[in-house]
């Protein structure tokens, strides 16, 4: 080997030399194109000064990470901003920003960065369990969350999504998604110092904190928007403002409506600016103009600042909408993936412990792009919500027929092995019936009719329905009716309790456990919405809170019921039965290597219309999961299981051997088996 290229020789060089050194350049030439290399060199000019206060080894680490990931950054930003004359200066400011926050990063977090460099697949591990809540509904305030850490730890939660953490506007605020200050904790919940302490205490217990980063819009009361309203041209460029309706009308021709009932249309006239403002969601949420690189820099600074407080996962909210293009639905545009790749890379360089989770509730072919396809392969985000798995669960549960689910999920493209699906059965949002017409056609269903059936089933209108949901956002133009409801209320527990029917209660419990087993056994990162482990019902009194009254999604964001938590070990109570079953599932998951998200999950088509079967592949052998979506006992021929690679019919959930009778196994109502 040529000694000039030897890694040992390079590591002995002084830190300040590293980027500029010929040996370094040569060694990294496979990572960087010539144009990226030139751009990096010009962007690194004043790095020495910015990093000067750090130990040489610390400086060197930053430079190594910058060189390692710079091409991804460049490739993300060039297509979006590359035509600008100030592109190199922009990259220079970005590199300075990353270096500045790297310098400020607390040592404890720098150690975590190193740990994650060594274990970049941490969020894929089978031991991962996510838990999600509104702080106000769980504990009232951030400091009170501390009182319940033992409960979270008992469940094995190691990923905690805290909602509505940053300051949002007073009054209606879309459940906190109308942010007025991205860097300040909501004064009703506590302080930044309390958030920092909570993150640190949780980290000590092995729990990573996730919060939202609302990328598509800010509140009309955010200082940027207020400045725009006051006529400041710099800040007017942060938004999409139009003097008349010509362009808004042209865009509207192909734009859908997200909240057709309470916010029809996508533009709002602002009296102060005397302009039409792009407002995809509510009139008080102003869409940010990502074609302006200042927005990119602003958001990166916010992200790095929050990461330095101890946030380990960013849920990137409503990312599908970040780029607008005339003549399209202005969702999932190529630039979205460029920008997300660049944001992801900024975290990798300056705060490598941080992971990104994409919130994109879009069709399967688009959804997969949030992990990165083609030139973005594996570079866009680490985690994305598996919306289709969620929708198909509810579809099969209502129809007792799994053929649509099997078909739709088998058609899913393969994912890169560096990512994890966020598997969930419901979240703080409503459920929209994202069933593709061609999937429905292929199993003999009519798409629109099936979606209508699902709405009326879960609204409890359909004869014989067990569900007690509510309609959210009836769209007259499309006929769409989305659904609100907690897991337990949608799965029949509310009705069964009201009717005092113990048999129906038993069935509802089995349905809820089926849901937990499905999302925990899919080889992703399961995200449990607070209270679903105990069967919390819909909060019918949500409208007594003035700020919630206008948004019926609060029906399924009930306050935590700490009496039920206290009953959780009492197997004679409903919550005790649910919690016991839930714990068996999560404890088994933790010991099941096949459920690491890195390995492939295949959908098995057994031809059985009531069972859903998957195979989680692993070098140790296949884990087959079989779920009965009906209230009747079903039998499954074992051959497809053996064909899938299962050698022994041992159910890990009950730790029992499964009997085979006439080449078939028995599945009681709503049974779930994890066979390996
Ligand atoms: C995301 C949030 C949802 C919010 C929307 C607009 O989808 O989950 O609650 O209404 O973004 O910010």
């Amino acid at each position: 080997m040529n000694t000039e290229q030897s890694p040992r020789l390079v590591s002995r060089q002084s830190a300040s030399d590293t980027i500029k050194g010929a040996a370094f350049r040569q060694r990294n030439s496979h990572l960087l194109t010539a144009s990226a290399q030139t751009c990096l060199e010009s962007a690194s000019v004043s790095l020495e000064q910015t990093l000067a206060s750090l130990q040489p080894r610390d400086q060197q680490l930053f430079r190594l990470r910058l060189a390692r990931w710079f091409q991804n950054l460049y490739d993300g930003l060039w297509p979006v901003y590359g035509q600008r004359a100030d592109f190199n200066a922009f990259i220079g400011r970005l590199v300075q920003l990353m270096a500045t926050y790297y310098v400020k990063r607390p040592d404890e977090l720098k150690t975590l960065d190193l740990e994650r460099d060594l274990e970049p697949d941490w969020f894929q591990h089978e031991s991962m369990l996510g838990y999600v809540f509104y702080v106000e509904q769980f504990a009232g305030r951030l400091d009170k969350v501390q009182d319940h850490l033992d409960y979270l730890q008992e469940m094995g939660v190691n990923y905690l999504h805290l909602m509505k953490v940053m300051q949002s506007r007073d009054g209606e605020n879309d459940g906190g998604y109308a942010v007025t200050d991205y860097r300040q904790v909501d004064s009703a919940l506590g302080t930044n110092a309390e958030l920092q302490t909570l993150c640190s205490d949780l980290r000590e217990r092995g729990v990573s904190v996730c919060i939202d980063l609302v990328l598509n819009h800010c509140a009309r009361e955010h200082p940027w928007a207020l400045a725009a309203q006051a006529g400041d041209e710099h800040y007017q460029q942060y938004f999409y403002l139009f003097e008349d309706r010509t362009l808004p009308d042209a865009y509207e021709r192909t734009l859908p409506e997200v909240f057709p009932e309470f916010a029809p249309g996508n533009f709002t006239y602002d009296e102060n600016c005397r302009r039409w403002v792009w407002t995809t969601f509510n009139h008080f949420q102003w869409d940010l103009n990502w074609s302006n690189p200042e927005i990119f820099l602003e958001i990166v600074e916010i992200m790095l600042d929050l990461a330095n407080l101890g946030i380990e996962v960013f849920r990137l909210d409503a990312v599908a909408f970040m780029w607008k293009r005339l003549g399209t639905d202005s969702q999932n545009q190529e630039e979205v993936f460029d920008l997300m790749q660049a944001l992801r890379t900024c975290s990798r360089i300056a705060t490598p412990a941080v992971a990104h989770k994409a919130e994109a509730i879009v069709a399967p072919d688009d959804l997969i792009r949030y992990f990165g396809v083609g030139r973005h392969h594996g570079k866009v985000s680490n985690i994305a919500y598996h919306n289709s798995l969620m929708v198909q669960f509810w579809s099969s549960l209502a129809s007792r027929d799994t053929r649509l689910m099997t078909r739709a999920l088998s058609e899913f493209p393969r994912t890169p092995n560096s990512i994890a699906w966020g598997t969930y059965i419901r979240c703080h949002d409503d459920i929209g019936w994202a069933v593709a017409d061609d999937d429905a056609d292929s199993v003999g269903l009519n798409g629109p009719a099936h979606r209508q059936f699902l709405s009326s089933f879960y609204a409890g209108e359909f004869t014989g329905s067990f569900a007690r949901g509510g309609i959210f956002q009836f769209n007259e133009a499309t006929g769409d009716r989305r659904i609100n409801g907690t897991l337990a209320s949608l799965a029949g527990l509310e009705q069964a309790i009201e009717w005092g029917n113990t048999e129906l209660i038993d069935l509802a419990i089995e349905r809820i456990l089926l849901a937990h087993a499905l999302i925990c056994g899919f080889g992703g990162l399961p995200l449990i919405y607070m209270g679903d482990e105990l069967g919390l019902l819909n909060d019918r009194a949500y409208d007594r809170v003035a700020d919630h009254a206008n948004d019926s999604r609060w029906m399924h964001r009930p306050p935590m019921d700490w009496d039920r938590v206290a009953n959780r070990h009492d197997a004679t109570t409903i919550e005790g039965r649910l919690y016991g079953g839930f714990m068996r599932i999560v404890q088994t998951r933790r010991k099941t290597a096949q459920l690491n998200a890195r390995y492939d999950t295949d959908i098995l088509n057994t031809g059985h219309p009531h069972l859903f079967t998957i195979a989680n592949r692993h070098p140790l052998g296949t884990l087959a999961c079989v779920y009965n979506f009906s209230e009747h006992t079903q039998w499954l021929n074992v051959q497809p299981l053996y064909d899938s690679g299962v050698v022994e019919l041992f159910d890990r959930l009950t730790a029992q051997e499964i009997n085979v009778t006439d080449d078939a196994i028995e599945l009681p109502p709503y049974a779930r088996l994890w066979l390996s």
Side-chain angles (χ1 to χ4, degrees), residues 134 161 163 173-178 212 214 216-217 258-259 262 281-282 285 315-319 321 359-361 385 427-430 472 482 551 553 557:
Y134 272 94
H161 177 189
M163 261 184 298
N173 57 29
D174 187 27
Y177 290 88
D212 281 274
V214 186
N216 180 65
H217 44 263
V258 180
F259 293 141
F262 49 57
F281 290 85
N282 289 290
Q285 289 161 302
R315 175 187 181 275
L316 305 181
D317 181 69
V319 281
F321 300 87
E359 192 247 357
I361 308 304
Y385 287 93
C427 65
H428 69 289
D429 284 328
D430 50 287
F472 181 70
R482 281 134 67 185
D551 188 340
R553 288 175 296 179
R557 303 165 182 169

Side-chain angles (χ1 to χ4, degrees), residues 540-560:
R540 300 281 170 188
Y542 75 87
D543 53 359
R544 286 195 207 140
V545 178
D547 292 351
H548 300 172
N550 277 335
D551 188 340
S552 56
R553 288 175 296 179
W554 284 99
M555 184 169 100
H556 55 247
R557 303 165 182 169
M560 190 47 146

